[in-house]
Amino acid sequence: MNPQETTERALAVHRLLNTQRPVPVEPLPLARRIPLPDVRPPKAGLVATLARRHSSYEYSYDDLTLTALSALLRFSMGVQRFVPAYGVEEYPLSMAPSAGGLDILRAYAVVRRVTGLDRGVYRYEPVSHELVQLTETDPGPELEQVYLQDEFAWHAAVTVAITARLDVAFGTYPLRHYRTLHVDSGVAVQNLYLVNTALGLAGCAVAGFDDAALSALLGLSENEIPTMLFATGHPA
């Protein structure tokens, strides 16, 4: 079975599980690159952070700083190191390890309250540690349609959306890897929880969302599927 056929089978399973039909998604209009500030790792012990880690459902209405968002993305889903692999001398390996070290996962920041950033949708580029701005309108109304618990749409300062690229996954692995890419997403979520906690922020992983609405909000191609959301902000 070639990668395209495997991808089509995985998409059929994905739609069946989510009781949804394919929905055409329009590419998002902007592509403005915004460098993120350099950051240092938060000074917090692992065991202490694990002991404090919990899900939060209420947030203050204070803005996140751009530095805090930079640190959250850098140390949860940024580049850990470069190694010779897949025919290149410097292949990036993520802070969130994945099967085969493949570059399967993407992170998007859906921003409502961050100092120095417009409201809108951004894609995180881990190698350059930049945000690519995709929209410049308040995503709140769309987020309300995405979240099954719509209070997250308005209370969280930022929603980090994790997606998986099926064409990358099935270019190397068989259809069975549809399960593994969700394990990879879970590893990334644990990183988000721990870094978020170490930064003194409140956060919650959310699996209850409308896949089609989220794909439209992020402008995803058919070969890229959303897997998890992570709401973050200052504690209430």
Side-chain angles (χ1 to χ4, degrees), residues 16-215:
L16 179 65
L17 291 174
N18 291 283
T19 62
Q20 290 173 334
R21 297 178 180 177
V23 176
V25 173
E26 293 294 326
L28 300 181
L30 292 182
R32 186 163 61 222
R33 304 184 80 89
I34 300 171
L36 288 168
D38 291 334
V39 285
R40 294 186 177 184
K43 295 181 179 180
L46 175 61
V47 174
T49 302
L50 283 167
R52 290 189 293 114
R53 187 220 65 78
H54 66 277
S55 295
S56 300
Y57 303 96
E58 296 181 354
Y59 307 86
S60 79
Y61 285 95
D62 296 332
D63 288 5
L64 283 188
T65 65
L66 188 58
T67 300
L69 179 59
S70 176
L72 178 62
L73 294 171
R74 170 68 185 87
F75 298 115
S76 61
M77 298 186 68
V79 175
Q80 186 198 65
R81 66 189 190 278
F82 294 90
V83 298
Y86 297 109
V88 298
E89 286 298 315
E90 293 190 339
Y91 182 85
L93 293 181
S94 174
M95 296 290 285
S98 62
L102 290 176
D103 183 23
I104 292 174
L105 300 185
R106 277 182 172 165
Y108 293 78
V110 184
V111 172
R112 297 206 67 249
R113 295 188 304 278
V114 174
T115 303
L117 277 185
D118 295 333
R119 290 179 172 181
V121 176
Y122 299 78
R123 186 179 68 245
Y124 177 53
E125 296 291 337
V127 174
S128 57
H129 192 52
E130 294 178 317
L131 293 175
V132 177
Q133 185 176 6
L134 303 175
T135 71
E136 54 184 355
T137 57
D138 184 2
E142 287 83 2
L143 274 177
E144 190 173 28
Q145 302 304 311
V146 166
Y147 278 112
L148 300 188
Q149 297 167 272
D150 59 11
E151 62 269 21
F152 283 114
W154 302 106
H155 295 176
V158 174
T159 294
V160 177
I162 300 173
T163 69
R165 299 159 65 193
L166 299 184
D167 52 340
V168 175
F170 300 129
T172 299
Y173 291 116
L175 184 58
R176 177 183 175 86
H177 193 65
Y178 177 77
R179 301 190 303 180
T180 312
L181 59 86
H182 288 85
V183 174
D184 293 345
S185 296
V187 173
V189 166
Q190 178 73 308
N191 280 9
L192 286 164
Y193 261 122
L194 294 177
V195 176
N196 202 67
T197 301
L199 292 169
L201 301 175
C204 186
V206 182
F209 58 84
D210 183 294
D211 285 60
L214 181 55
S215 294

